Amino acid sequence: MQPFLKWPGGKRWAADIIAKLIRKHLTETYFEPFLGGGAVFFHLLPKAAVLSDINKDLIITYQTVQSEYEAVIEKLRTMNVSKEDYYRIRAMSPRTNITKAARFLYLNRTAFAGMYRLNGNGQFNVPFGGGQRTPAPLWERNLLRNASNALKGIKIMTAHFEETINMAGPGDVVYCDPTYTVAHDRNAFIRYNEKNFSWIDQKRLAKIAMSAVLRGATVLVSNAHHSSIRDLYPDARVRHLKRRSLISRDPSKRCEVKEYLFILTPDRNDDSIGNK
């Protein structure tokens, strides 16, 4: 199932691989504490799930699509797409959740490259994308309706990753896709929130992930292909994922990107995953 958000750094390209690994171990609840575009969730479509993120506006959008997607579409239809309208809507400070969700989706569909970036004051500052960008596919292709159906009965909350992972136990699977502090052997990364996901956070994530495994959960972590990251997960099985970068405007400058996928299971003798 296609996600309704465009999310740079998201896992649409690897969702099938990751979902297959998750299905081998998931018997209870699926947890995704770095929700973003939710590509893995929408590919997996688990019966029980807890979805969370520290981005409050993102979570409000998910919650509102879950419960009132038709009202969100009605509001979106009133938002014209032009450079002038884009910057006017970008400067808005909506009061209702329906308007907040509509604004978030409008900006996501019309901003440059679908990026989500906030300045130091927590204000969205991505420029207008131009071209044929429009939020119309959200209703023309039933993306919001389908997402609303998929999210029925799913717990969605604003939370730090530690709070969410600490909820996981036997039979649960946690999938983590944090912002990369170092990335792709080049010591660079992209910010998605006001505050970086720091190196301290990376170490805390590795520790908390291992604690969840000791409680009986399975944890998968996507992360930067960098030796310092690899050292944080000495006991994990490792998959090497590859894709083409789509960030540059110039296709000739889009290089191959490698990422780690760490798999931590309660049974260290489990042979079902394999290393690639």
Side-chain angles (χ1 to χ4, degrees):
M1 179 175 168
Q2 188 175 355
F4 63 91
L5 288 172
K6 295 178 178 294
W7 206 257
K11 290 298 179 288
R12 291 193 191 204
W13 60 280
D16 183 56
I17 296 172
I18 296 168
K20 284 178 180 177
L21 293 171
I22 290 171
R23 288 190 186 104
K24 293 179 180 180
H25 299 275
L26 182 61
T27 58
E28 296 295 335
T29 301
Y30 171 72
F31 292 83
E32 191 167 342
F34 301 90
L35 182 54
V40 173
F41 166 80
F42 286 114
H43 198 94
L44 186 66
L45 294 177
K47 293 181 180 179
V50 176
L51 308 177
S52 68
D53 202 285
I54 62 169
N55 186 326
K56 186 176 180 180
D57 290 335
L58 174 71
I59 294 301
I60 286 173
T61 299
Y62 270 93
Q63 291 171 336
T64 310
V65 167
Q66 180 187 46
S67 60
E68 300 178 273
Y69 82 90
E70 291 173 317
V72 175
I73 290 174
E74 184 177 351
K75 187 66 178 180
L76 273 168
R77 285 178 177 272
T78 69
M79 297 178 169
N80 294 324
V81 179
S82 70
K83 188 173 183 179
E84 181 181 358
D85 287 310
Y86 175 86
Y87 287 107
R88 176 181 58 80
I89 292 170
R90 195 182 78 168
M92 288 172 52
S93 297
R95 294 185 178 181
T96 69
N97 285 349
I98 289 172
T99 306
K100 287 177 181 179
R103 175 183 176 271
F104 192 99
L105 292 166
Y106 175 92
L107 295 175
N108 180 257
R109 287 279 164 171
T110 57
F112 172 71
M115 291 180 64
Y116 185 86
R117 184 184 66 200
L118 304 179
N119 62 22
N121 295 321
Q123 299 169 326
F124 187 84
N125 65 353
V126 181
F128 180 54
Q132 301 301 312
R133 291 178 175 83
T134 170
L138 294 172
W139 58 85
E140 292 177 349
R141 292 160 55 188
N142 293 321
L143 296 181
L144 290 190
R145 185 183 71 182
N146 293 342
S148 181
N149 289 333
L151 292 167
K152 289 189 185 309
I154 301 299
K155 184 175 180 60
I156 308 170
M157 62 183 192
T158 304
H160 188 273
F161 68 86
E162 183 172 3
E163 178 183 348
T164 303
I165 297 173
N166 283 343
M167 297 168 65
D172 298 334
V173 176
V174 182
Y175 172 61
C176 301
D177 186 26
T179 301
Y180 301 164
T181 309
V182 292
H184 321 308
D185 301 321
R186 293 195 296 277
N187 290 325
F189 66 96
I190 300 171
R191 298 186 189 190
Y192 296 119
N193 298 294
E194 302 98 314
K195 297 180 180 179
N196 293 344
F197 191 76
S198 67
W199 183 244
I200 292 174
D201 291 324
Q202 287 280 15
K203 292 193 290 185
R204 183 180 295 117
L205 173 59
K207 181 178 179 180
I208 294 168
M210 197 62 236
S211 295
V213 172
L214 293 175
R215 294 194 304 272
T218 294
V219 181
L220 288 80
V221 182
S222 295
N223 222 313
H225 199 276
H226 193 276
S227 59
S228 61
I229 296 291
R230 179 66 184 91
D231 291 342
L232 293 177
Y233 298 90
D235 297 324
R237 290 175 176 81
V238 183
R239 294 285 294 256
H240 300 269
L241 305 179
K242 298 179 181 180
R243 65 181 173 88
R244 297 287 295 179
S245 172
L246 300 177
I247 297 298
S248 175
R249 285 178 179 269
D250 184 352
S252 66
K253 295 181 180 178
R254 294 175 183 174
C255 58
E256 183 181 78
V257 171
K258 294 184 293 183
E259 299 186 10
Y260 280 128
L261 178 64
F262 301 111
I263 305 105
L264 296 155
T265 63
D267 180 4
R268 296 192 180 186
N269 296 317
D270 181 8
D271 296 327
S272 66
I273 293 174
N275 298 318
K276 292 186 180 180

